[in-house]
Amino acid sequence: IVSKTIKKADIVEHLHSTLGFNKTESKELLETFFDEIAEALIKNENVKLSGFGNFELINKKERPGRNPKTGEPVTISARKVATFRAGQKLRKNISSQDA
């Protein structure tokens, strides 16, 4: 199975070719979109994209771990982690592609 990674440049090119924006406008639009998501998460807000999915913050507690190189026990500090959960519509579209 060959998989392709979609990069920002690919999205910019798609916006340029399908919507007619010039490449500078396409890049600014995409950067603004990602900045809005990041700003909302920084403010502890969840981001819900209807028909696509949700970006949420999860508080992870401090927990024991180990250094994979040395095997030495370490404590992994508490932190916030951004997660993405695909929405029902996206999950359905993905699973129908497997069949």
Side-chain angles (χ1 to χ4, degrees):
I1 298 174
V2 177
S3 66
K4 180 181 189 260
T5 301
I6 297 176
K7 298 181 268 328
K8 283 184 181 181
D10 298 326
I11 299 171
V12 168
E13 183 59 39
H14 183 74
L15 290 171
H16 169 68
S17 63
T18 59
L19 299 178
F21 295 135
N22 68 42
K23 289 191 179 183
T24 303
E25 291 171 330
S26 298
K27 185 177 179 183
E28 288 175 5
L29 177 67
L30 187 62
E31 291 296 332
T32 301
F33 176 73
F34 288 132
D35 287 345
E36 285 295 318
I37 292 172
E39 286 296 319
L41 293 171
I42 289 168
K43 294 176 188 173
N44 289 322
E45 297 171 350
N46 292 332
V47 178
K48 297 178 186 265
L49 301 174
S50 180
F52 187 69
N54 302 325
F55 292 92
E56 300 170 332
L57 286 176
I58 293 177
N59 291 313
K60 290 200 163 198
K61 296 179 182 175
E62 187 177 273
R63 63 190 195 279
R66 66 176 182 86
N67 182 327
K69 287 185 179 179
T70 64
E72 179 182 328
V74 294
T75 301
I76 301 171
S77 60
R79 64 192 189 282
K80 289 183 183 177
V81 178
T83 63
F84 175 76
R85 286 193 175 152
Q88 185 175 8
K89 195 176 199 178
L90 178 59
R91 284 194 311 265
K92 182 179 176 186
N93 287 339
I94 291 170
S95 66
S96 69
Q97 296 299 313
D98 291 340

